[in-house]
Amino acid sequence: MFSGFVLCGGSSTRMGRDKATVEIAGVPMARRVADALQAAGSTEVIAVGGDADALQQIGLTTCPDDQPGDGPLPATITALRVAREDTVVVMACDLVHPDARAVTRLLAALDAHPDVLVAVAVTDGHRQWTHAAWRRAASVPLEEAFAQGARSLRRAASSLPLIEVT
């Protein structure tokens, strides 16, 4: 069992409009990510940040980001704080092809390695911090890193025990 979260708080400055509601094949991007999380078996799916009214109109439960505008690190901390389950999958709202199989691979990797706090997707050799499965216990070191000035999820999480999933 896991809680699923869709990060929707970006300012979309390059796109010029809210990415979460941009449609691909007639379905808003955030809804596509939520559907992949549900298909993978999440017990809850919550959108963090973004336009709560617009997200609710596409059928998503929302919660405010604790630090709106500060990026994926505090949004991930928010997700870990409010999740009902001990395992939490956090995904960016702008994934073009979210896939339930990718989510289950992250979860399987995390389950197979009880000593790690995060299973992170790797694409083209780069860790995709906004496509990861976390243990809620990761919130403590992430909060400490944020309190010490880290603003990048990559920087805050890079010293955590982790497993990469290609």
Side-chain angles (χ1 to χ4, degrees):
M1 294 199 297
F2 72 96
S3 295
F5 286 82
V6 184
L7 301 184
C8 297
S11 60
S12 302
T13 53
R14 289 177 294 188
M15 183 167 279
R17 60 177 264 194
D18 187 359
K19 293 182 286 191
T21 58
V22 170
E23 292 186 2
I24 296 177
V27 180
M29 292 179 85
R31 178 79 255 167
R32 292 168 56 91
V33 173
D35 290 346
L37 289 163
Q38 288 174 323
S42 63
T43 60
E44 64 180 342
V45 175
I46 298 172
V48 178
D51 182 341
D53 290 336
L55 293 166
Q56 290 167 2
Q57 287 178 9
I58 61 171
L60 296 178
T61 300
T62 63
C63 79
D65 188 338
D66 289 342
Q67 301 286 331
D70 279 351
L73 172 57
T76 299
I77 293 169
T78 298
L80 295 172
R81 180 182 55 77
V82 302
R84 288 192 315 237
E85 305 293 343
D86 287 329
T87 301
V88 181
V89 176
V90 177
M91 297 171 66
C93 70
D94 60 353
L95 295 173
V96 176
H97 299 290
D99 186 346
R101 292 171 298 176
V103 173
T104 58
R105 289 186 63 213
L106 289 169
L107 293 165
L110 193 63
D111 284 345
H113 296 87
D115 55 320
V116 304
L117 291 176
V118 59
V120 61
V122 175
T123 305
D124 298 326
H126 299 283
R127 292 176 178 163
Q128 305 300 318
W129 290 107
T130 56
H131 193 286
W134 301 82
R135 296 191 199 284
R136 279 192 352 179
S139 66
V140 173
L142 291 178
E143 288 170 359
E144 289 171 357
F146 188 74
Q148 293 172 2
R151 293 300 177 259
S152 155
L153 186 54
R154 175 188 52 81
R155 181 174 163 217
S158 63
S159 64
L160 296 179
L162 63 89
I163 183 85
E164 294 180 342
V165 180
T166 303

